[in-house]
Amino acid sequence: MEIKLPHMPFKFDSPEGRMEITVRGAPAHGESEPKQQFGAAVTFLQPGPQALKRVQLSAKGTTYSGVMQLLTTGFKVTPSAHDKESAEFRVLTALCHATGVVDLDA
């Protein structure tokens, strides 16, 4: 499914609690990769055992602003790639149906 977010930062509720989409940088692992790769993920806002857990999204790029633009223009989300009983499946499904999220496949 391809979706786009109405704005950033984007917060929504899931069965796992309150969530937020964030963009972070990570150092490259190989010489052929850009020096800084940025990626988006869903993060848990509430304290507890899952507070540091992130559910990775497909929006990735070489610049922070490039990833932010992808989030608001369209990126793929595949809840079905995860076990239906997993937190990842529930979070990604909630993201796809959150208020304001636009389904580009519809």
Side-chain angles (χ1 to χ4, degrees):
M1 158 179 262
E2 190 164 348
I3 64 171
K4 71 177 185 174
L5 304 178
H7 55 78
M8 285 297 292
F10 186 74
K11 296 178 183 179
F12 66 100
D13 292 312
S14 80
E16 306 302 310
R18 189 84 172 139
M19 313 296 290
E20 179 178 39
I21 307 291
T22 61
V23 176
R24 292 189 186 164
H29 298 290
E31 291 181 20
S32 64
E33 295 180 47
K35 289 185 180 182
Q36 188 76 18
Q37 179 76 15
F38 292 86
V42 179
T43 58
F44 293 80
L45 289 178
Q46 69 280 359
Q50 294 185 330
L52 298 176
K53 186 175 179 182
R54 298 176 49 129
V55 177
Q56 296 297 320
L57 297 174
S58 65
K60 292 180 175 53
T62 56
T63 65
Y64 180 89
S65 60
V67 176
M68 293 291 277
Q69 184 177 3
L70 276 174
L71 292 170
T72 57
T73 59
F75 64 100
K76 290 207 177 287
V77 179
T78 54
S80 60
H82 303 280
D83 178 32
K84 289 189 179 196
E85 300 300 318
S86 69
E88 290 84 356
F89 177 83
R90 291 188 296 273
V91 166
L92 293 176
T93 300
L95 171 61
C96 291
H97 297 98
T99 301
V101 172
V102 177
D103 180 357
L104 297 174
D105 293 337

